[in-house]
Amino acid sequence: MAGLRLGDRVRLPILAARRWPTTQGRGSRYPTETPDRRLGPHHYHPSMELWERSSALDLLDTLLHKSATGGRIALVPGEAGLGKSALVTAFAERCGRRARVLWGGCDRLVTPRALGPLHDIGRQAGGALAARLGAGAAQEEIFAAFLDELSGPRQRPRPVIVVEDVHWADEATLDWIALLGRRIGRLPVMLVVTYRDDELGPEHPLRGTLAMLPGAVVRRIPLLPLSRECVGEQARKAGRDPAQAYRLTGGNPLLVTELVKAGGRTVPGAVQDLILDRLRALSAPARELARLVSVVPTRADAAIVAGAADLVDVCVDAGVLIPAGDGVSFRHELLRSAVEDALSPPRRAELHRRVLDVLVRVPGIDPGQLVHHARHAGDLRAVLRYGQLAGADAARQGAHREAAAHYRAAIDHAGRLSPEQCAGLLERYALQAYLAGLLVEGLQARQQAATIREELAQPEQVAENLRWISRLAWWTGHSAQALAAADRAVGVLAAGRPLRQLAMAYSNRAQVHMRAYEHGAAIALGERARALAEQVGDVETAIHATINVQTARLADEAGDAQAALEAAHERAAANGYVDLAVRAKLNLACVTAEELAQYGNAVALIDRALHYAREQNLDGYAQYLIGARAHVRMQRCDWAGALADADAALARPGQFAVTAVMPLVARGRIQSARGNPAAISTLDEAARRADQIGEAQWLAPVAAARSEYFLWNGDTDRAADEARQCLELTAPVHQPFQLGVLAYRLWRAGATDCTATAVAVPFQLMISGSWAEAAAEWAARGATYLRVEAMSAGDPPAAVEALRTLDSLGAARAAGCLRAGLRRRGVTGMPRGPRRSTTAQPAGLTVRQVDVLALLADGLSNAEIAGRLTLSRKTVEHHVSALLAKLGVANRVQAAAAYRNHHSPR
C-alpha cells in the first residue's frame, strides 16, 4: 500500500492537532466531537445532528438530578444509526461540572472482550481499579474496586457510567451491569446503557440482565425514527426530494446524515452505497487506509495507522474517518461494516493479517483481539497460540462462555500440539464449557482427552477425565453412562497409592449413590473420600465429598445437615471452587423442596442459589434452578411465576433432560388444571425426558402429573396405570414424598392395590381421609396446592374454599371436576365460577387491562402505552398495578411471560 507502513511508531500530526480533553480529573468538559471510545463516545460526529431529541435529553437530565438521592439507570435502546451515541454524547456535554462521566463500550469481535467496558473505564479512573484489571485479578476483586471508585470522595462530581453497545457484551460484563443494578439504589450514580434492541432475540443473554435490573430506578429512553417533516426539511436543504429521502432512510438519523452529505450526487440505494460512493472520491492510497481501518472493530489505534498522517488527514477531511483518541475510526459501526463487507474474502484476510502483524508487537494487547484478527486472517498458528492465552484470560475474569469460545478456536488447530498439550487444552476447554452450560461440548472434549491420556498411560489423568465424564453424562441425561464412568474411574485407581484422583473418584461414586437415594452407601463412601482427601491435603475433594455426605444426611432429615451444607458453600467459595459452592446451595434448596416437601423454605433457598449461580456465570446451574423454582412456585399457587420460570428455563439454549423435566411438569400440571389441550403433549415430553434419565427423582413427579391429568379427563384406568407402573419401578428407593405422591394418585384413581410402605405422613393422612390434618400439614410446609387438594376432600366449607382457590387460579378443569364431585355429594350454594368474559382472559382481567398487558408484553413503556391507547399515563399506571396484582406477579417481565403463556399455543 503506497505511503502506508504498518508498525512505524510515528505521532500523527492530524491527531495531535485535534487532541481531545480527557474525562480524568474533576470538572472535565466533554468534546462535541468524538474522543477516544475508551475515554468517551465513539460514533458521534458534529455533522450528525441531534434532530428531534430534546425530550430524550431532558429526560436524561432529570434522571441525573434524581440520582443525587439514589442511583438511576437509563436504558437507551434502538436500531443501528438511530442516534444513541449522539444522544449520550450530547448529554455528557450537558453534564459539565455536575458529573464525572466514565465511558466504556463493547466491541463487535468474534468473541467479545471479557469485561471490555470495565477495562475502558479502568483506564480513565486509574487507581485501584486500573491496577486490579491490569493484574488480572479475580472478578470479585475487580467489581469491589469499581464500587469503591463510585464511592469516592464526596467532593468529587457525581459519577455517570456510560456503557455502549451492550448487545455485544460478554457474560462477565453483563454480570457487572447486574451487580451495579443491585447496588445502584444506595449510590449517587447514574448508569446509561445503550444497545440495539432489534438484535435481541428471545434467547439473547442481555434480556436476562435487563430483567434483573430494579424496575423502580430504571427508565427506558425511547428513540423513534425522525419524522417525515424533519427528514423532508433536511432533504430540501440538500436539494433532494423529501419523499424519496424518507423512503430511502426510513427516518434513520445516520442514513439521513449520509444522504445529506452525499449532496447532489446520484441517490444511492443503501448505506453501503453511501459510504462506498464517498470512498470512490478518495485517492487510491487513502482508500486503502480506510479499508484497513474497516477490518478493525471500534477503532484503529495509532500503531495501525502509524506513518500515514497525510492519508489520515485526507480520510478525515473527506468525512470517511474521524479521530478517535490516538487513532481513527468510522463514525458508526454501520459505516465500518459496509466497507468491510464490500471487501473480497482474500482482500479481507490480507488486511486482517496486516493488523495482526502490528498488534502482536503492542505491549499489553488484549489476546482476544489477536484471536479475532488471526481467525479472519486464516493464521492457524496464531489462532492456536492466542486462543489459549485469550481463553485463560477470559476464564480468570469469570467469562466462561467467552473462554470456551477462545479455547474452541484453538482446539480446531490442536493437531500442531503434542498429545499431552492437546489433552490439556481439551481439559481446559471442557471445564469452561461445563461452567458455561455447554454440556455436550464439554462431555465430548472430556472423552477425547481421556482417550489421549489412556494412550499416554497416565492413569491419574484418565480417572480425572472419567470422573468428569460421569458428571457431564448425568447432566446430559445419560445416567447409565454416568454410572459406568464413575465405576471405571474408581477401578483405574483402586490399586494405586492414596491419591487426590482416587479420593475424588470415591466422592463422585458417592454422588451417584446420593442421586439414587442410596443414602447409606453415599454417606459411607463419601466419608471414605473425605478422609482420604484430608490425608493428602486436598481441600477441593474434601469439600466435594462433604457436600455429598451432607446432602444424603439432609434427605434423611439430619438436623445439622443444612448448617453443614452452608458451611461447605462458604469454604468452597472462599477457596474459589465456584462449582462446588453453587452445588452446595443447589442441593440444599432442591432437597428441601423435592425430598422434604418444605416448599415455604425452598423459595428463599433457590433464590439464594440462583443469585450465586448468576454472579459466577454458571449458566447450567442457573437453568436447573429456574426450572426447580417453577415447580416450587406451582406448588405454592404462584402460577404466573411458575409459568414465567418454566418459559425461561425451557427457552434457554442447551436444553437437557435434567433441566427440562421439572419446568415441563410445572407447565403441564397448570395446563392440565386449566383444561389446556396442550397439556398432554407437554407431559409426554416430560415423560420422554424423564425416561432418558431413568432416575426416581424425575420419573415420580412426571408419572404423578400424568395420573392427575388422566383422572381429570375421566380416564381412571389410565390414571391408575401411570401411578402404579412408576410406583413399582421406584419403590426400592424408599423416598417417602416421591412414593407418597404416587400412592396418593393411585388411591385417587380408585385402586386398592398400593403396597408402598414408605409413604410420607401428609399423603398417608389424605389416603386415610384425614383431610383436615393433611391440610394443616401441607400448610405448615408451604404446599398451598396440596393443601387445596386435601381440602377438596373435606367438609362443604373446606371444599368450597378449595373451589374458590381453583377458580382464582383459572384452573377450570380442576374446578369443574371438584364442582361435579360436590354436586354428587349433594352440596349446594357453590360459587358459580368466573364468567365466560373473564375466563377468556388470564386471571379475570378486564378487556382494557388485557389491552395494556398485550402492549406491556411488547416492551412498551407506560408513556408509550398511554399514547397507543389514548389514555393518561396515570390511568395506565393504575391498570398496570391492577393487572400485576391479579396475575400475582412481581414485575412487568413476569406479567409479559404470563400473557405469552396464555395467548400462545403450548
Side-chain angles (χ1 to χ4, degrees):
M1 178 166 55
L4 180 61
R5 300 189 306 278
L6 295 178
D8 293 343
R9 303 271 178 185
V10 180
R11 180 178 293 277
L12 303 180
I14 181 69
L15 298 179
R18 303 189 185 196
R19 184 67 57 190
W20 311 115
T22 72
T23 61
Q24 297 179 21
R26 297 175 191 155
S28 59
R29 301 290 295 181
Y30 288 86
T32 56
E33 297 184 86
T34 304
D36 180 349
R37 80 157 293 158
R38 295 170 182 171
L39 304 178
H42 62 289
H43 296 327
Y44 182 57
H45 188 268
S47 63
M48 186 172 173
E49 300 190 34
L50 274 179
W51 298 306
E52 300 185 330
R53 296 294 184 252
S54 59
S55 61
L57 270 174
D58 291 343
L59 183 51
L60 287 170
D61 248 354
T62 301
L63 293 175
L64 177 63
H65 177 72
K66 289 182 177 179
S67 68
T69 57
R72 292 293 187 273
I73 301 174
L75 303 180
V76 187
E79 67 181 32
L82 209 54
K84 301 182 293 295
S85 293
L87 172 71
V88 177
T89 301
F91 170 62
E93 172 71 11
R94 273 197 188 189
C95 287
R97 296 180 182 275
R98 294 181 297 163
R100 176 181 182 235
V101 181
L102 299 172
W103 213 296
C106 306
D107 303 312
R108 190 183 182 183
L109 298 175
V110 174
T111 301
R113 289 188 299 159
L115 290 177
L118 194 51
H119 280 275
D120 296 345
I121 289 170
R123 280 186 285 271
Q124 300 160 60
L129 177 59
R132 290 186 185 177
L133 284 162
Q139 190 183 87
E140 293 83 354
E141 296 179 53
I142 293 171
F143 288 178
F146 170 73
L147 293 174
D148 289 343
E149 182 66 31
L150 296 185
S151 308
R154 297 176 66 90
Q155 65 271 25
R156 191 185 327 192
R158 190 178 314 148
V160 172
I161 307 299
V162 178
V163 188
E164 289 203 271
D165 297 326
V166 182
H167 52 282
W168 290 325
D170 64 289
E171 60 180 330
T173 294
L174 295 180
D175 283 345
W176 165 58
I177 292 173
L179 171 82
L180 180 54
R182 291 192 294 273
R183 304 287 195 278
I184 203 165
R186 300 188 295 274
L187 297 168
V189 62
M190 181 174 174
L191 170 65
V192 183
V193 175
T194 75
Y195 58 94
R196 296 185 188 174
D197 53 352
D198 59 331
E199 295 189 13
L200 301 188
E203 298 178 4
H204 196 290
L206 178 57
R207 287 190 178 275
T209 301
L210 296 178
M212 293 168 63
L213 298 177
V217 299
V218 173
R219 188 65 184 270
R220 192 170 179 266
I221 313 294
L223 292 183
L224 301 176
L226 301 177
S227 66
R228 288 182 179 273
E229 293 74 18
C230 178
V231 175
E233 180 184 352
Q234 304 310 318
R236 280 188 289 272
K237 288 179 180 178
R240 290 196 175 277
D241 175 44
Q244 185 185 51
Y246 190 80
R247 177 176 58 80
L248 287 170
T249 66
N252 183 292
L254 176 66
L255 301 187
V256 172
T257 299
E258 291 299 311
L259 195 67
V260 169
K261 288 179 69 67
R265 294 192 295 275
T266 303
V267 178
V271 65
Q272 187 176 56
D273 297 324
L274 287 167
I275 188 63
L276 295 181
D277 188 51
R278 191 169 300 157
L279 274 182
R280 283 190 283 271
L282 298 176
S283 65
R287 279 201 305 274
E288 186 71 356
L289 173 67
R291 288 169 180 152
L292 180 73
V293 173
S294 78
V295 303
V296 186
T298 305
R299 72 165 192 172
D301 291 326
I304 295 172
V305 295
D310 292 342
L311 298 179
V312 170
D313 274 338
V314 170
C315 292
V316 171
D317 291 342
V320 173
L321 300 177
I322 58 171
D326 61 353
V328 290
S329 71
F330 284 83
R331 275 202 316 280
H332 195 281
E333 181 66 18
L334 272 177
L335 307 181
R336 185 198 69 78
S337 299
V339 177
E340 184 183 22
D341 292 345
L343 298 169
S344 68
R347 190 79 181 91
R348 189 182 303 124
E350 178 192 348
L351 294 174
H352 277 290
R353 193 171 299 112
R354 291 185 179 185
V355 173
L356 179 63
D357 289 344
V358 173
L359 292 183
V360 293
R361 299 195 295 273
V362 175
I365 191 71
D366 184 343
Q369 291 178 263
L370 301 181
V371 176
H372 175 83
H373 293 292
R375 291 177 72 171
H376 284 293
D379 188 334
L380 307 186
R381 290 183 181 277
V383 171
L384 178 59
R385 178 182 179 185
Y386 298 115
Q388 295 182 77
L389 292 175
D393 187 60
R396 279 194 300 273
Q397 298 183 62
H400 304 300
R401 189 170 290 273
E402 284 69 34
H406 285 308
Y407 282 136
R408 174 74 264 176
I411 286 171
D412 289 340
H413 312 293
R416 299 170 181 270
L417 299 175
S418 70
E420 186 157 6
Q421 290 172 326
C422 183
L425 174 56
L426 285 164
E427 289 158 356
R428 292 191 296 276
Y429 166 68
L431 176 59
Q432 295 305 312
Y434 166 71
L435 294 175
L438 305 173
L439 305 178
V440 170
E441 293 88 339
L443 176 59
Q444 292 170 346
R446 285 289 178 184
Q447 290 169 330
Q448 294 173 35
T451 298
I452 295 172
R453 297 295 190 184
E454 283 184 300
E455 292 171 352
L456 293 172
Q458 297 175 328
E460 297 174 18
Q461 290 85 349
V462 170
E464 180 70 2
N465 279 297
L466 285 170
R467 193 265 298 187
W468 274 108
I469 289 169
S470 175
R471 180 79 175 139
L472 288 160
W474 178 82
W475 268 103
T476 53
H478 301 94
S479 56
Q481 183 183 3
L483 175 59
D487 285 340
R488 190 169 167 228
V490 173
V492 167
L493 294 167
R497 57 188 174 85
L499 299 170
R500 173 194 175 280
Q501 286 79 4
L502 180 58
M504 184 60 89
Y506 283 148
S507 185
N508 183 69
R509 190 64 183 84
Q511 187 175 355
V512 173
H513 285 303
M514 179 262 293
R515 287 198 304 262
Y517 298 135
E518 298 165 353
H519 295 151
I523 292 169
L525 197 53
E527 288 291 8
R528 183 178 179 184
R530 186 192 58 76
L532 184 56
E534 298 285 5
Q535 177 184 335
V536 297
D538 180 4
V539 174
E540 181 179 7
T541 301
I543 298 172
H544 189 281
T546 297
I547 292 170
N548 296 329
V549 169
Q550 298 304 330
T551 300
R553 294 185 69 245
L554 179 66
D556 285 342
E557 302 190 67
D560 60 342
Q562 177 170 343
L565 281 171
E566 296 280 13
H569 163 78
E570 296 297 335
R571 188 182 183 193
N575 283 277
Y577 303 135
V578 295
D579 176 51
L580 297 182
V582 75
R583 195 165 71 84
K585 280 189 170 291
L586 181 149
N587 286 7
L588 172 58
C590 292
V591 169
T592 299
E594 301 305 329
E595 297 181 40
L596 300 179
Q598 295 286 355
Y599 296 107
N601 297 335
V603 175
L605 293 172
I606 290 177
D607 285 345
R608 288 203 292 269
L610 183 58
H611 174 78
Y612 184 81
R614 283 171 167 163
E615 275 193 333
Q616 301 299 326
N617 298 319
L618 302 173
D619 291 351
Y621 281 110
Q623 187 174 9
Y624 185 102
L625 286 161
I626 291 170
R629 190 173 65 183
H631 194 244
V632 172
R633 283 178 163 172
M634 187 270 162
Q635 295 283 25
R636 299 273 294 162
C637 287
D638 174 12
W639 284 10
L643 290 171
D645 278 345
D647 287 346
L650 296 170
R652 292 173 66 92
Q655 188 62 245
F656 298 102
V658 296
T659 57
V661 171
M662 297 316 289
L664 284 170
V665 168
R667 177 189 284 177
R669 291 192 68 191
I670 293 172
Q671 290 172 336
S672 294
R674 289 177 169 172
N676 189 323
I680 189 58
S681 61
T682 301
L683 294 175
D684 283 346
E685 177 64 11
R688 186 183 71 80
R689 299 289 191 133
D691 288 343
Q692 180 185 352
I693 308 170
E695 294 179 349
Q697 63 176 309
W698 313 108
L699 294 169
V702 173
R706 290 171 64 82
S707 177
E708 179 182 59
Y709 168 84
F710 289 116
L711 181 64
W712 281 339
N713 285 274
D715 191 344
T716 55
D717 290 341
R718 183 72 183 274
D721 286 344
E722 290 283 344
R724 183 184 294 109
Q725 290 173 14
C726 188
L727 192 59
E728 292 171 354
L729 184 65
T730 60
V733 304
H734 297 288
Q735 209 297 312
F737 285 95
Q738 301 284 17
L739 298 180
V741 69
L742 292 171
Y744 172 67
R745 294 294 171 213
L746 186 59
W747 174 78
R748 282 290 311 273
T752 58
D753 57 341
C754 177
T755 57
T757 55
V759 174
V761 169
F763 286 116
Q764 291 180 20
L765 293 170
M766 293 170 81
I767 292 170
S768 67
S770 303
W771 64 268
E773 292 88 342
E777 179 73 21
W778 289 129
R781 294 174 177 273
T784 312
Y785 194 52
L786 283 162
R787 176 178 177 271
V788 169
E789 285 204 70
M791 293 176 66
S792 68
D795 59 22
V800 168
E801 181 184 340
L803 185 58
R804 292 187 188 279
T805 302
L806 293 175
D807 286 340
S808 72
L809 292 170
R813 177 61 55 80
C817 289
L818 178 54
R819 276 191 175 84
L822 290 175
R823 290 192 191 99
R824 288 193 296 270
R825 290 165 57 184
V827 177
T828 59
M830 290 180 287
R832 67 177 184 177
R835 297 191 305 271
R836 293 179 62 87
S837 60
T838 56
T839 54
Q841 310 298 348
L845 302 184
T846 67
V847 173
R848 178 57 80 189
Q849 287 167 350
V850 172
D851 292 339
V852 171
L853 179 57
L855 295 176
L856 182 152
D858 286 339
L860 274 65
S861 66
N862 286 354
E864 292 167 328
I865 294 171
R868 187 75 64 87
L869 298 178
T870 321
L871 300 171
S872 72
R873 184 170 172 179
K874 184 61 70 177
T875 299
V876 172
E877 290 174 356
H878 287 317
H879 280 314
V880 170
S881 296
L883 66 87
L884 291 179
K886 285 186 175 182
L887 291 172
V889 298
N891 54 49
R892 299 165 73 96
V893 174
Q894 290 182 358
Y899 175 83
R900 287 190 291 270
N901 183 78
H902 185 83
H903 285 80
S904 60
R906 295 290 182 184

